[in-house]
Amino acid sequence: MSEMTTVACAKVLGISARQVARLARAGELTVSRTVGGALLVDGASVHRLAKHGRHNGRPWAAATAWAALALLSGESVDWLDAAAISRLRHRLRASSAPELCWMTRRRAAVHRMRGWGKDEGLLHSGVSALRDPAMSELFDLTAVERGADGYVQARDFADLVTTLGLVEDRDGDVTVRVVADDSGYAVDHVPTAAVAVDLAESLDTRESAAGLRVLKDLLDAYRSDKTHPLRRVSRQLVR
């Protein structure tokens, strides 16, 4: 997808050019390059942000975002205090799937890249997670071989770039999601809710619909305080 000026981005998102610049600095929009001091933004990142619209509230910090995704996936959270977890549980019970996508946007910094066609070192998410038969069945999507999508911890990013011969490329087919080292999340597996959010943000209609459906089911199960089949699958996948 083509590059866009901050003014063009602002029109699509319904915000000011200054707000676009702030979103770019926060890593929520991908900057393609700077020309004469002016930012050019990757159009795909703009349309991903616009896809589900803006919602009330500032997106959570990475530690809170990962805690939310872990709780929805039936996992324990040990990096937030009890009061913070209690507030988060209350917020989750009142959230919709699109709102959750918005609130967890800062879970990782997203890099579009190209490399040697390998993805060792990436924790598979999004379309790459569908290579697991259980995930493919859960989302009712067929595994695809296009590109790669996954997470890596910030301290391991440079080594990953070297190992896989990665270079920044807005048209690249490798999506690297870099998680801050102080997020609390160990980046040792990908919670099912995180896979769902990544798919929900896809520009592919079927993938997006599948991600939102699973997120809704996880939220419904969380609100009912029951051990939903989707959450059982999530725990089985991380063993």
Side-chain angles (χ1 to χ4, degrees):
M1 194 169 287
S2 62
E3 297 173 324
M4 299 175 68
T5 65
T6 55
V7 173
C9 293
K11 289 181 179 179
V12 171
L13 297 173
I15 58 178
S16 69
R18 182 173 295 180
Q19 288 174 303
V20 169
R22 282 202 294 267
L23 290 172
R25 287 195 297 271
E28 294 182 47
L29 292 174
T30 303
V31 177
S32 298
R33 55 194 173 117
T34 303
V35 179
L39 295 178
L40 289 179
V41 180
D42 173 33
S45 70
V46 176
H47 288 285
R48 285 190 188 93
L49 186 61
K51 189 176 182 65
H52 300 300
R54 295 174 62 87
H55 296 273
N56 293 331
R58 179 179 298 178
W60 292 319
T64 304
W66 282 109
L69 296 172
L71 289 172
L72 279 183
S73 302
E75 302 175 24
S76 60
V77 173
D78 59 8
W79 57 90
L80 295 183
D81 61 37
I85 292 176
S86 178
R87 291 192 297 270
L88 181 57
R89 289 183 186 279
H90 178 76
R91 182 63 188 270
L92 284 174
R93 292 189 180 99
S95 295
S96 67
E99 285 171 340
L100 186 67
C101 290
W102 172 257
M103 297 305 294
T104 59
R105 290 198 61 79
R106 294 179 181 170
R107 63 192 176 278
V110 180
H111 296 258
R112 307 293 171 188
M113 314 187 83
R114 59 180 170 82
W116 294 332
K118 299 179 180 180
D119 59 5
E120 291 90 347
L122 275 178
L123 284 174
H124 291 172
S125 188
V127 293
S128 291
L130 300 177
R131 298 173 194 170
D132 184 306
M135 281 292 189
S136 179
E137 181 179 2
L138 176 62
F139 288 94
D140 193 23
L141 292 172
T142 304
V144 296
E145 292 302 321
R146 75 170 191 274
D149 188 345
Y151 288 92
V152 65
Q153 202 153 26
R155 62 172 173 262
D156 299 323
F157 181 48
D159 287 342
L160 181 77
V161 167
T162 300
T163 301
L164 302 185
L166 296 171
V167 295
E168 298 281 352
D169 184 345
R170 64 187 177 87
D171 296 319
D173 61 357
V174 179
T175 301
V176 181
R177 305 176 188 273
V178 183
V179 181
D181 293 330
D182 61 356
S183 68
Y185 166 50
V187 197
D188 55 354
H189 70 284
V190 181
T192 300
V195 177
V197 169
D198 292 335
L199 285 170
E201 293 176 350
S202 172
L203 295 180
D204 181 281
T205 303
R206 289 190 67 249
E207 291 170 2
S208 179
L212 288 171
R213 173 182 55 78
V214 170
L215 276 181
K216 180 181 181 301
D217 287 347
L218 287 170
L219 284 164
D220 288 345
Y222 193 79
R223 278 189 283 268
S224 66
D225 199 28
K226 294 179 180 178
T227 303
H228 191 278
L230 299 186
R231 298 176 73 193
R232 290 202 295 270
V233 168
S234 174
R235 287 195 289 272
Q236 292 165 4
L237 290 171
V238 302
R239 290 173 182 163

